[in-house]
Amino acid sequence: MKMKKVFAMAASSLLCGAMFVSCGDTGSSSNSGSSSNSEQTTKADTAKNDGDSSKSLITVGIINNDPNESGYRTANDRDLKAAFTKENGFDARFSYSLKNEEQINAAQKYIQDEVDYLLLSAADTAGWDSVLKDAQAAGVKVILFDRTIDADESLYAASIVSDMDKEGEKAVDWLKSQNLKSYDIIHIQGVMGTAAQKGRSGALESTAKELGWNIVTQQTAEWNAEKAQQIVQSVIDSNKEFNVIYAENDDMAKGAVIALDKANISHGVDKDVVVIGFDCNKWALEELKKGNWNYDGQCNPFQSSYILDIIDKLEKGETLSQKTIIMDEKGFDAKTITDEDVNQYGI
């Protein structure tokens, strides 16, 4: 594989700017199912339009979760699509699913097609060893993004991820610092088995066990606002007492708040119920700024600049100084968040 001139020119500019791309839709998602659709630009199509120019392109198969899953995922997908274009030197193909087995099938197809790179945000942390070994045998370099998997690091080239455990720990440490008279928590989980769910759930579960906090209910809403609303409504209807909503993404926190509003239960700063979300959608940070929510944990969706840097080094035959890159992320308190924070970190 030779280094492509067009990639070298594009990468330098993208590395400076990709982290600051604004990523449109941050609204609540109502899509609770999985999708396995694929958007592809084949070499044949490229050659048809541009003669033999496809020979200069780096082929990349990108496997991601459903872009409609959440505002975070929409921003993540747009960031990747803005970076991996024909103009920037890539023949990029995109596949989406919330199901591990569908992602695995897509990965095997890309390996059979002999792509140069396979970029993967796994739906589940388990079950990827065979795919990674097949990719390695075929000379396909695998780069993980967004989420970790349970596999030996020798099986992939690099990993650009959020520290989901740390995200959960930051949120739980903040909650502990509030010194509430009691902790009666509705815990709304994301899709079970994902790195985000494991990290954010694990931190709350361990602290609740250690300090004797009461988990009123613990259910998955699969990142979905409507399902989260139903979970909270069920608790309200049961007349169980609660004073904390710990939702593992912003969309689920939004759904939970809708249920609270319908029941005329106050929430936010100095109110009856503490509301915690994750991802830092701009609209969610604005809810913090208004005092309607209490805390939001950042999950950075802008990974393309890191990936471009890694591909650039690998194309030049360089050794990576870091195999795993963990992005720095923040947590925001409603009492201290600023307009600057909303504008800079809201996705």
Side-chain angles (χ1 to χ4, degrees):
M1 213 170 5
K2 297 180 180 179
M3 180 58 194
K4 287 75 177 176
K5 292 181 179 180
V6 65
F7 169 75
M9 294 174 64
S12 61
S13 60
L14 276 166
L15 290 174
C16 297
M19 289 294 289
F20 302 100
V21 175
S22 173
C23 291
D25 179 13
T26 55
S28 174
S29 168
S30 60
N31 186 331
S32 60
S34 66
S35 65
S36 184
N37 54 3
S38 177
E39 299 177 11
Q40 298 189 353
T41 302
T42 65
K43 286 190 174 183
D45 291 336
T46 306
K48 182 178 179 181
N49 294 327
D50 299 311
D52 293 331
S53 64
S54 62
K55 293 180 181 179
S56 67
L57 300 179
I58 298 173
T59 56
V60 182
I62 302 175
I63 298 175
N64 206 343
N65 292 259
D66 185 350
N68 297 313
E69 172 196 76
S70 63
Y72 167 88
R73 189 63 56 187
T74 300
N76 179 247
D77 182 53
R78 289 185 178 180
D79 179 52
L80 293 168
K81 283 184 174 177
F84 291 93
T85 63
K86 187 178 76 171
E87 291 74 20
N88 291 335
F90 296 99
D91 173 6
R93 316 171 194 183
F94 294 81
S95 294
Y96 306 97
S97 181
L98 293 174
K99 293 183 178 180
N100 222 41
E101 60 270 25
E102 292 179 352
Q103 287 193 335
I104 287 172
N105 289 338
Q108 293 288 11
K109 180 64 168 61
Y110 286 141
I111 293 168
Q112 291 171 11
D113 291 344
E114 299 182 338
V115 297
D116 298 321
Y117 294 89
L118 180 64
L119 309 185
L120 172 64
S121 177
D124 196 303
T125 58
W128 287 98
D129 277 15
S130 294
V131 172
L132 298 180
K133 289 175 182 177
D134 288 347
Q136 197 169 69
V140 176
K141 295 181 176 64
V142 177
I143 300 174
L144 309 180
F145 67 95
D146 176 46
R147 295 176 172 179
T148 58
I149 58 174
D150 298 329
D152 191 279
E153 66 174 17
S154 65
L155 294 176
Y156 52 86
S159 177
I160 303 96
V161 295
S162 297
D163 188 335
M164 304 297 185
D165 291 339
K166 191 172 182 180
E167 289 178 8
E169 289 164 6
K170 280 184 177 181
V172 172
D173 285 346
W174 175 88
L175 182 58
K176 186 164 51 176
S177 74
Q178 302 308 294
N179 297 315
L180 304 179
K181 290 182 181 179
S182 66
Y183 284 83
D184 300 299
I185 304 166
I186 294 178
H187 180 192
I188 308 175
Q189 297 171 291
V191 173
M192 303 303 291
T194 61
Q197 178 273 314
K198 287 183 175 180
R200 296 166 190 175
S201 289
L204 179 61
E205 289 169 349
S206 61
T207 300
K209 183 177 181 180
E210 175 190 351
L211 300 180
W213 291 355
N214 176 33
I215 305 295
V216 176
T217 190
Q218 183 183 59
Q219 298 182 54
T220 177
E222 299 179 328
W223 311 125
N224 182 265
E226 291 181 3
K227 291 186 177 183
Q229 181 181 345
Q230 292 166 7
I231 290 170
V232 175
Q233 187 61 55
S234 179
V235 175
I236 293 171
D237 292 342
S238 71
N239 293 316
K240 293 179 181 178
E241 292 187 2
F242 64 92
N243 64 342
V244 177
I245 300 285
Y246 184 95
E248 292 181 357
N249 83 341
D250 289 340
D251 288 322
M252 296 189 300
K254 184 176 184 178
V257 166
I258 290 172
L260 297 180
D261 287 340
K262 286 187 175 182
N264 293 316
I265 297 172
S266 67
H267 51 84
V269 177
D270 299 325
K271 299 295 176 58
D272 292 334
V273 178
V274 171
V275 177
I276 294 172
F278 290 87
D279 287 353
C280 290
N281 286 278
K282 189 169 185 178
W283 56 262
L285 294 184
E286 288 170 347
E287 289 300 306
L288 246 70
K289 189 74 170 48
K290 295 173 185 175
N292 295 329
W293 293 17
N294 301 79
Y295 178 93
D296 205 26
Q298 184 187 27
C299 192
N300 189 346
F302 303 117
Q303 291 128 24
S304 66
S305 64
Y306 296 93
I307 300 171
L308 287 170
D309 185 42
I310 288 169
I311 291 177
D312 186 26
K313 287 181 170 63
L314 292 175
E315 286 290 298
K316 292 175 180 176
E318 297 178 8
T319 300
L320 301 179
S321 59
Q322 280 184 290
K323 185 150 192 168
T324 299
I325 298 172
I326 299 176
M327 294 180 294
D328 185 40
E329 295 171 330
K330 301 178 180 295
F332 295 96
D333 185 325
K335 292 182 178 179
T336 57
I337 192 170
T338 65
D339 288 330
E340 183 180 354
D341 291 331
V342 174
N343 292 327
Q344 182 174 353
Y345 297 103
I347 60 174

